[in-house]
Amino acid sequence: MRSAVLFLICFFTLQSLHAQSVGSPAASLILSERERARIVDDVLEDRFTNLLPKLMRREGIDMWVIISREYNEDPVLKTMLPSTWLSARRRTIMVFFDKGEKEGQSDGGVEKLAIARYDVGTLLKGAWDIDVRPNQWEALAAIIAERKPKKIGLNRSANYAHADGLTATEQGEFLEKLPAEYQKRIVSAEKLAVGWLETRTQKEMALYPMICRLSHQIIQEGLSEQVIQPGVTTTDDVVWWFRQRITNLGLDTWFHPTVDVQRADSNDFNHLRTFSKRPDKEVIQAGDLLHVDFGITYLRLNTDQQQHAYVLRPGETSVPESIRKAFMQGNRLQDILTEQFVAGKSGNQLLLAALDQAAKEGIKGTIYSHPIGVHGHAAGPTIGLWDQQKGVPGSGDYPLQANTAYSIELNAAVDIPEWKKMVRIMLEEDGFFDGTKFRYIDGRQTEIYTIPRTLGYVR
């Protein structure tokens, strides 16, 4: 615990020292590239030292072999590279061997080797002497024979692209050199890979609130009179403002933002269209209900958030009551889902239980929530898809684990009498499940923003 506290103190001290004057609260949360690298490497070392042994033992795999070639990296391997490595080099092979706990001896921990021409940073020691064994596959086979693992995990998976990073070419060449005795010990490392990707450590969760707050602040800037002039600004203008803002702040994103409107006209809003194609460009008008879908990538963690703003008509000072009540139904649907979070439940069980409770309460809900972390649509239990509301075979059957993060993504369809139509309150907020309780990492939107702003920034 003390190390975590020291980490936080150092981190926020660095924030203060390296804050950039870009003219918004968000800018004060951006570190220099050098300081980002230090944090990334510190978090990675902690994950290798404290998380990896637990996961390998949980899944009963004593050797994990990850193989990648430059520019065709295994998704797991990319999360294991040090900050100064932006890709694999030639062919990079990582071997993790659990020395295990022996009676009367200290824990041997996990040996971390690179069958490559170089050490991989300071964490994986290069174990290929090219003068002794010029063939890289023979060097790998020798390492395996020396350690005699009981199970060799390879990244192969039908359910998760994240855990299916071993290519057919690499597998074929590897097996040509691996003795038959050890080929029989090969197993899928799917659950180990998913566990590595989905588990958030204490150090990561010290960072994540700041990252989610930064993303929230950018949304609040974009959904304001600073960016939007009714009758002039288009939804596409706002989309590109978000993209440019991300670039100006020195950040990145994992998807192109979406901005769309619902309004009192004769057109029915088809939320399925937002998934199958991008919304048409619209000029934003007074009386519009705006919706944004936005996320950033920072310090190797991602956000995914959807929020709403209402453009005040002349004379209005607040969001119309019917729309405000509709928004409350969206918040209630969030609660219904997160109240179902119990360790060991599958994503499909969470989905069906939440939809059943929503129906009992008269809420017309659609749920399509997903894990988030080192990927935006991350590995772990899928909790519905927009076009699969009866369950998702495979990834939906995966159980909820402790110390995992999720984007609570859903919508509630609500009738607005004065509009003579239905609106969809489409919400998405990032949260964390510690094994017992769920919490939003940086809170959630509970009031619709107004343009111009009269209610303040409320998460």
Side-chain angles (χ1 to χ4, degrees), residues 184-237:
K184 296 176 183 178
R185 304 183 191 186
I186 289 175
V187 298
S188 168
E190 177 188 85
K191 291 184 179 179
L192 176 54
V194 171
W196 170 264
L197 295 173
E198 74 171 349
T199 306
R200 304 276 66 81
T201 63
Q202 187 179 25
K203 285 192 174 185
E204 287 174 304
M205 289 314 300
L207 298 170
Y208 226 156
M210 177 273 297
I211 298 169
C212 290
R213 187 175 314 125
L214 173 57
S215 190
H216 277 146
Q217 288 179 353
I218 297 170
I219 289 175
Q220 291 168 0
E221 288 180 43
L223 297 183
S224 75
E225 60 272 22
Q226 298 175 48
V227 175
I228 297 171
Q229 181 181 348
V232 176
T233 309
T234 69
T235 52
D236 210 40
D237 292 335

Side-chain angles (χ1 to χ4, degrees), residues 222 227-228 233-246 255-260 278-279 284 291-294:
V227 175
I228 297 171
T233 309
T234 69
T235 52
D236 210 40
D237 292 335
V238 183
V239 165
W240 284 106
W241 180 91
F242 280 121
R243 283 297 303 272
Q244 191 63 52
R245 191 73 178 117
I246 290 168
F255 69 98
H256 191 56
T258 296
V259 176
D260 50 63
R278 295 199 63 79
I284 297 169
H291 160 259
V292 63
D293 188 353
F294 175 81

Side-chain angles (χ1 to χ4, degrees), residues 328-394:
M328 292 172 63
Q329 287 202 35
N331 280 161
R332 176 57 191 150
L333 185 58
Q334 290 175 319
D335 292 339
I336 289 172
L337 175 55
T338 59
E339 286 166 2
Q340 303 298 327
F341 274 46
V342 175
K345 274 190 176 182
S346 71
N348 289 333
Q349 288 174 319
L350 296 172
L351 171 70
L352 297 177
L355 289 176
D356 180 64
Q357 181 60 35
K360 289 177 181 177
E361 297 186 22
I363 297 175
K364 298 176 182 177
T366 307
I367 295 172
Y368 32 94
S369 299
H370 58 85
I372 194 166
V374 291
H375 299 103
H377 291 150
T382 299
I383 310 171
L385 294 172
W386 63 270
D387 55 350
Q388 291 180 251
Q389 289 295 285
K390 294 183 179 180
V392 182

Side-chain angles (χ1 to χ4, degrees), residues 424-444:
R424 291 189 182 269
I425 301 300
M426 297 169 285
L427 298 176
E428 185 169 18
E429 296 287 3
D430 304 317
F432 176 71
F433 178 65
D434 65 8
T436 303
K437 295 180 180 179
F438 175 91
R439 70 174 187 270
Y440 288 101
I441 297 173
D442 184 49
R444 60 173 174 170

Side-chain angles (χ1 to χ4, degrees), residues 392-412:
V392 182
S395 62
D397 297 318
Y398 192 84
L400 192 68
Q401 302 281 359
N403 301 317
T404 50
Y406 299 86
S407 278
I408 303 303
E409 183 178 11
L410 43 75
N411 77 71

Side-chain angles (χ1 to χ4, degrees), residues 317-328:
T317 58
S318 63
V319 177
E321 185 67 9
S322 58
I323 297 177
R324 191 185 67 81
K325 287 183 176 179
F327 193 86
M328 292 172 63

